[in-house]
Amino acid sequence: MTDDLDELFKEASTLHSSGADLHRAELLYRRILAVQPRHAHALHQLGALLTQLYGKEKDSEALHLVHTAVQLVPSSARFRNSLGVVHQTGGRWREAADAFERANEKDPMNVSVMMNLARALRETGRQQRAAEVYGAVTKLQPNHPSASYRRGAILRSIRRNEEALVAFRQHLRIQPEHQASKFWIAAITGDAEAMTAAPPDMVAGLFDQYADHFDDHLVNKLQYRTPEALRDQLLSSCQDRTASPPGPCTSSGGSGAAAAITAAGAGGGEMRWRRCVDLGCGTGLMGPLLLPYCDALEGVDLSAGMVEQAAKRGCYSRLAVAELVSFLEAEAAHDKANVGPLYDLLVAADVFVYIGDL
């Protein structure tokens, strides 16, 4: 029987590690555990696989499996690292950081564990400690593809700019064409000519990471109210247009160039526009506020993760993942036959800061 279980585990592990048939691997792990419930490696592998396959959907089972494996083999750095990954996937960053710390204690030279630990520390607000861990990675692997950049980003966020500059320059030696490193070097040194705006890939990556908890952080914790203020400014600025000569209604809201509206074509007794676009729509916070005044509402954003969240609101007739200037140029080229305005209402809420030279 033991030989049979060993063969089953070998087959399951091969299918799992190669990615050839993850569902078959899951079935085999379960068959092993049905016979030997305290098979530590099967417990660990199944828990890790459930997280890989189903994410949060099977979080409770994955957590139980990997936690049991850790209890059976407390000296295993690998098991503890997987426990951290399960907690991380479930959004339990403090527990994840603790698990990664324990894994790092068991295997202090493991770079993968250190990278996981640094991220969890960053997510729990322990920025200085996270920078130290990323620094330790760069000493073990001076040419690590991302550790020096991530260290620089954290140091910049806590205003240790000189150290951040060293880290970004180190990363640029590893990846000479890395646009984000070039941007931060230019920002720290004040070299405006070297980089006029944040690289699109950098902005998209930032917001992809932020998408799942963007609304909670911005609206509930930071009390963000720009969408409501912008909607109110739009209605206030355009409410008397029925008594005015035809022409565009333009307004800016927020701080500086943070938010803006350009509108045309709203007439009659009702404030309404034919075709509207939410530029840099993000998770769609403007959507429910604009929809009552638009026949068709479109949205565009650099971040696929943010657009995915915006789609869940059900406000938009169309959504696109694109850089907004190229999006508008493509729309104009496609709609050459139209003699009227491409859009009657354009809204940009906290977007212009990413554009550079307006």
Side-chain angles (χ1 to χ4, degrees):
M1 179 63 73
T2 300
D3 290 342
D4 291 342
L5 291 182
D6 289 343
E7 286 301 313
L8 280 179
F9 184 77
K10 183 179 179 180
E11 181 185 352
S13 296
T14 300
L15 292 171
H16 186 179
S17 60
S18 67
D21 191 340
L22 297 181
H23 291 285
R24 169 71 176 164
E26 177 187 352
L27 177 64
L28 293 177
Y29 288 140
R30 292 190 185 281
R31 283 175 60 184
I32 293 167
L33 291 171
V35 177
Q36 191 173 325
R38 292 173 64 81
H39 191 297
H41 290 281
L43 287 162
H44 165 257
Q45 291 290 91
L46 179 57
L49 178 60
L50 293 180
T51 298
Q52 180 182 351
L53 265 178
Y54 306 107
K56 291 182 180 180
E57 185 181 336
K58 295 197 175 182
D59 176 66
S60 296
E61 184 182 3
L63 181 60
H64 172 73
L65 289 164
V66 180
H67 186 263
T68 303
V70 169
Q71 289 180 317
L72 291 170
V73 190
S75 62
S76 173
R78 186 181 179 208
F79 289 6
R80 291 183 181 276
N81 183 66
S82 292
L83 181 61
V85 172
V86 174
H87 280 306
Q88 173 183 304
T89 304
R92 298 177 295 274
W93 285 103
R94 292 190 183 281
E95 292 86 347
D98 182 68
F100 292 136
E101 285 276 22
R102 304 290 81 77
N104 182 236
E105 289 171 2
K106 305 296 181 185
D107 188 0
M109 306 294 281
N110 189 313
V111 167
S112 295
V113 171
M114 294 167 75
M115 292 297 290
N116 286 339
L117 170 59
R119 184 186 176 194
L121 291 168
R122 186 189 68 201
E123 291 288 342
T124 54
R126 297 164 65 186
Q127 309 291 6
Q128 186 164 323
R129 169 76 174 124
E132 291 172 359
V133 176
Y134 281 131
V137 171
T138 65
K139 290 177 181 177
L140 287 172
Q141 289 187 10
N143 292 326
H144 190 280
S146 65
S148 53
Y149 174 77
R150 294 179 188 278
R151 180 170 182 267
I154 289 177
L155 291 169
R156 185 204 58 79
S157 73
I158 57 177
R159 301 185 180 182
R160 288 163 57 178
N161 285 345
E162 291 303 316
E163 294 170 84
L165 188 59
V166 171
F168 288 130
R169 283 174 171 161
Q170 179 183 354
H171 188 249
L172 210 56
R173 285 192 290 272
I174 301 166
Q175 297 190 32
E177 299 305 315
H178 194 268
Q179 295 300 305
S181 286
K182 289 182 178 181
F183 172 79
W184 287 120
I185 290 170
I188 293 170
T189 60
D191 187 357
E193 293 183 4
M195 189 70 70
T196 59
D201 288 350
M202 173 181 153
V203 176
L206 171 68
F207 283 102
D208 281 344
Q209 294 176 25
Y210 200 21
D212 287 345
H213 54 285
F214 180 85
D215 288 3
D216 178 60
H217 182 72
L218 210 64
V219 177
N220 298 330
K221 294 181 181 177
L222 299 182
Q223 299 296 304
Y224 181 70
R225 294 292 179 267
T226 293
E228 290 84 355
L230 203 55
R231 184 272 316 275
D232 294 345
Q233 184 74 10
L234 167 67
L235 299 181
S236 174
S237 299
C238 298
Q239 64 184 351
D240 297 326
R241 280 180 47 76
T242 53
S244 303
C249 164
T250 304
S251 174
S252 63
S255 175
I261 309 163
T262 298
E270 182 184 10
M271 193 71 65
R272 194 161 192 85
W273 287 272
R274 177 185 58 88
R275 189 182 180 196
C276 316
V277 62
D278 185 358
L279 300 171
C281 64
T283 60
L285 290 172
M286 286 295 312
L289 304 178
L290 293 173
L291 188 61
Y293 309 99
C294 303
D295 292 336
L297 176 61
E298 301 175 21
V300 57
D301 199 277
L302 272 173
S303 165
M306 300 291 267
V307 168
E308 183 180 346
Q309 296 298 319
K312 295 177 182 179
R313 295 186 187 274
C315 298
Y316 296 91
S317 56
R318 178 190 172 204
L319 283 162
V321 179
E323 190 274 325
L324 65 89
V325 175
S326 60
F327 170 82
L328 290 173
E329 287 174 343
E331 289 298 292
H334 181 70
D335 203 30
K336 284 182 179 178
N338 186 6
V339 295
L342 184 62
Y343 290 101
D344 304 303
L345 176 67
L346 298 93
V347 176
D350 280 322
V351 172
F352 290 164
V353 67
Y354 301 104
I355 300 297
D357 186 352
L358 292 178

